[in-house]
Amino acid sequence: MDEAALQRLRSAFDPERFRQQGHDLVDRLADYLGAALTRQAGPVLPWVDPEGQLGNTPSISEDAGPEVPEIVGDLLHRAFHLHDPRTLGHQDGLPVPAASLAGLLISTLNNDPSVYETGPAVVPIEVRLLRWMCDELGFPGDAGGVLTGGGSLGNLTALLAARQAKVGRDSWTEGNRPGEALCVLVSEQAHYCVARAVKIMGWGDDGFVKVPVTDDFRMDVAALPGALARAREAGRRPIAVVASACTTATGTFDPLPEIADFCSEHDLWMHVDGAHGASTVLSPQYRSRVRGIERADSVVWDCHKMMMTPAVLTGVLFRNARHSYDTFRQEATYLFEERPDEEWYNPGNRTVECTRSGMAVLLYTALRVHGIGLFRDYVTRCFDVARSLSDLIDASPDFELAVEPDANIVCFRYRADPGIDSDRLQSRLRQKLVSGGSFYLTEAELDGNQFLRCTAQNPFTGEQDLCDLLDHLRAEASALEERSGTTNASGLAQEG
Ligand SMILES: Cc1ncc(COP(=O)(O)O)c(C=O)c1O
């Protein structure tokens, strides 16, 4: 290699360059944070169609290009402003600055906690964090788990453990047996990743037996015996019930104590997909909604949803830690020995991933800096904001709720004039607000009807923001209904 090439490598790692650009980055991000939190960063989503956005994105070249500040500036200019109090869309968490700073730390150190030797400071942090999460869930002293990259992977990890625990043989080593036909019972409202996990395990569409929900979108526990019987009659062997705490679409908590009773009676594994709602255990005001979670065999808990942590950080927690050692037995002599239960300090034994980021540091830092109380307040506040929105909707004759919210997710719709295609109207309303940049919200289809959907993730969303949201929707709805009335009496179906 010639000297010029070596010099280029040295320059890329130049600590002074890093210092200067790092200071600039933090300055820009601090300004950005201040602006976004006070709605000064521009439209909530500076809408550009995907093709246009791709066109605005410079391609990669052989030669050196702009410095980091220029790239940061461009990205901030085009970003979706999650910190804007009028972002009320998906369940993406609002990272607390202490966790964001920890992000820079972990991506600089890049210590991999899959094995102790490459993550000597990070592995114990993971262990402390997991212990704390287990304690908050109300799990016993011999509980434990792992951290993984997202709720989808977390649910797969838990279901692999369920299979290993319930089939009565070493399913990890032997795989599925022809004719064994395992399945799980899962609510109609469960997140799609549960079905995906089942398919990854090779059980196909029949691997998840859908349990109907009640009118308020809760798993109908009265339907569980029937679902179990149907599965058995069809020659399948149910091994687990997957409860949602809470569901993605409406934020509804399944009745965990009754599901726990059913699981103990029928020797089934109880898994709680608490990707969104396990954080509810932190709120003294709302904790009762997850009563019974302490009886689960496994719980998935996404910290990048309701724990102010940047994506992704998921806990897969087992009431009995032994189960987290039983899956993924693997011989990789260059990494660890095949004595996983004696090697708590090598978490790579127990995760789908080999290399992982030091994700635990993100949340651990924020917890150490601010204390658990901040997180209790955060969850409570987000649920309170959702409650305020649902109260406003209840008090507005031109809107209706899909269901009273349990959590910080609210589904509702504008009551369309007779003759107007209501489903289409809701979608058009959302498009109008999102493309106009005034608010960000999502949609959900419930029982075949379209609803608007808001997730309150920002503790700074105030009453005025919520009133303005309804006013914006009203104004757009009248404009659309008026246009539709003058062009086509049958409604919005042809409206452009
Ligand atoms: C209930 C539930 N489970 C699982 C997931 C998937 O989590 P992730 O996006 O972290 O993979 C989600 C995501 O929204 C969810 O709401």
Side-chain angles (χ1 to χ4, degrees):
M1 179 173 286
D2 62 24
E3 184 51 33
L6 273 176
Q7 184 47 38
R8 201 160 58 215
L9 280 166
R10 275 190 217 104
S11 158
F13 282 84
D14 177 14
E16 283 314 312
R17 188 178 180 185
F18 177 72
R19 188 191 313 281
Q20 211 180 19
Q21 298 194 351
H23 285 165
D24 180 90
L25 171 68
V26 172
D27 282 344
R28 280 169 191 261
L29 288 178
D31 289 346
Y32 171 77
L33 195 63
L37 287 169
T38 53
R39 297 184 37 230
Q40 315 276 314
V44 170
L45 168 62
W47 178 255
V48 174
D49 67 80
E51 289 297 332
Q53 198 69 262
L54 186 61
N56 293 338
T57 306
S59 49
I60 296 159
S61 89
E62 199 67 46
D63 303 319
E67 290 289 343
V68 173
E70 195 180 319
I71 293 172
V72 173
D74 174 51
L75 214 65
L76 291 181
H77 181 63
R78 293 195 277 143
F80 164 49
H81 304 311
L82 201 65
H83 293 80
D84 188 306
R86 296 191 170 193
T87 293
L88 291 157
H90 293 287
Q91 300 143 274
D92 305 307
L94 191 77
V96 67
S100 306
L101 288 173
L104 181 58
L105 172 66
I106 61 168
S107 53
T108 306
L109 290 180
N110 210 21
N111 274 206
D112 170 12
S114 58
V115 293
Y116 177 71
E117 288 175 10
T118 56
V122 180
V123 171
I125 285 177
E126 281 200 6
V127 171
R128 288 263 182 255
L129 192 60
L130 287 160
R131 182 66 260 155
W132 171 72
M133 292 169 90
C134 287
D135 289 345
E136 289 289 348
L137 288 177
F139 274 0
D142 53 358
V146 290
L147 294 181
T148 191
S152 306
L153 212 48
N155 281 316
L156 172 64
T157 307
L159 290 179
L160 284 166
R163 180 183 69 165
Q164 185 74 347
K166 288 295 176 193
V167 292
R169 61 185 180 81
D170 185 358
S171 62
W172 175 249
T173 309
E174 296 171 22
N176 292 326
R177 273 188 186 160
E180 193 169 50
L182 303 175
C183 67
V184 296
L185 306 182
V186 55
S187 134
E188 279 172 354
Q189 286 290 320
H191 191 266
Y192 70 84
C193 71
V194 176
R196 201 172 264 187
V198 161
K199 289 183 175 203
I200 290 171
M201 292 196 293
W203 304 352
D205 270 345
D206 292 339
F208 52 99
V209 174
K210 288 198 178 168
V211 182
V213 291
T214 50
D215 288 347
D216 56 359
F217 305 104
R218 247 171 267 287
M219 182 187 277
D220 183 0
V221 280
L224 271 172
L228 184 69
R230 268 198 325 280
R232 287 183 175 154
E233 275 156 28
R236 304 205 70 89
R237 182 175 164 202
I239 59 153
V241 178
V242 178
S244 303
C246 48
T247 61
T248 308
T250 57
T252 304
F253 291 94
D254 283 343
L256 303 181
E258 288 84 351
I259 293 171
D261 289 345
F262 182 82
C263 287
S264 2
E265 196 183 325
H266 297 278
D267 190 27
L268 297 167
W269 181 277
M270 177 178 173
H271 173 62
V272 174
D273 178 0
H276 185 86
S279 304
T280 313
V281 293
L282 297 178
S283 164
Q285 286 86 334
Y286 293 102
R287 187 185 163 107
S288 60
R289 311 232 156 142
V290 279
R291 198 168 53 84
I293 201 166
E294 69 287 352
R295 294 176 63 191
D297 293 294
S298 53
V299 173
V300 156
W301 180 348
D302 276 2
C303 302
H304 53 279
K305 291 190 166 62
M306 290 298 293
M307 294 287 284
M308 296 186 282
T309 307
V312 284
L313 170 55
T314 297
V316 190
L317 307 148
F318 296 92
R319 188 151 45 82
N320 184 338
R322 182 176 49 80
H323 293 299
S324 92
Y325 292 94
D326 287 346
T327 325
F328 306 130
R329 272 201 216 110
Q330 206 94 45
E331 215 166 334
T333 47
Y334 50 90
L335 282 180
F336 27 69
E337 295 174 36
E338 208 196 356
R339 291 176 308 143
D341 46 339
E342 292 167 28
E343 291 193 354
W344 61 268
Y345 46 84
N346 287 334
N349 276 318
R350 295 176 283 140
T351 54
V352 174
E353 305 103 311
C354 177
T355 308
R356 284 177 310 134
S357 75
M359 53 179 98
V361 179
L362 304 171
L363 179 54
Y364 178 82
T365 303
L367 279 163
R368 290 286 312 281
V369 169
H370 297 293
I372 304 166
L374 185 86
F375 293 79
R376 300 197 194 287
D377 291 345
Y378 171 77
V379 174
T380 304
R381 169 71 189 167
C382 292
F383 279 43
D384 285 349
V385 172
R387 170 59 49 201
S388 301
L389 176 58
S390 79
D391 287 349
L392 282 173
I393 293 165
D394 265 340
S396 308
D398 47 353
F399 286 96
E400 63 179 328
L401 281 173
V403 61
E404 287 293 327
D406 274 354
N408 58 329
I409 298 175
V410 185
C411 289
F412 65 106
R413 64 181 166 182
Y414 181 78
R415 287 186 203 267
D417 282 348
I420 295 284
D421 179 344
S422 169
D423 292 340
R424 186 158 163 76
L425 176 64
Q426 314 308 323
S427 297
R428 294 285 287 126
L429 287 176
R430 185 184 102 80
Q431 277 165 23
K432 285 277 181 193
L433 264 63
V434 170
S435 60
S438 55
F439 285 87
Y440 186 75
L441 68 167
T442 56
E443 280 174 75
E445 192 196 302
L446 301 168
D447 281 341
N449 297 311
Q450 209 61 22
F451 285 85
L452 299 165
R453 175 176 173 274
C454 286
T455 310
Q457 300 274 125
N458 190 320
F460 308 113
T461 301
E463 189 85 7
Q464 191 57 53
D465 297 309
L466 302 175
C467 291
D468 288 353
L469 168 68
L470 298 189
D471 283 345
H472 273 69
L473 288 167
R474 269 186 198 109
E476 292 294 354
S478 339
L480 285 168
E481 284 182 332
E482 210 167 284
R483 269 168 67 196
S484 161
T486 54
T487 54
N488 183 332
S490 71
L492 283 151
Q494 278 79 33
E495 207 271 332

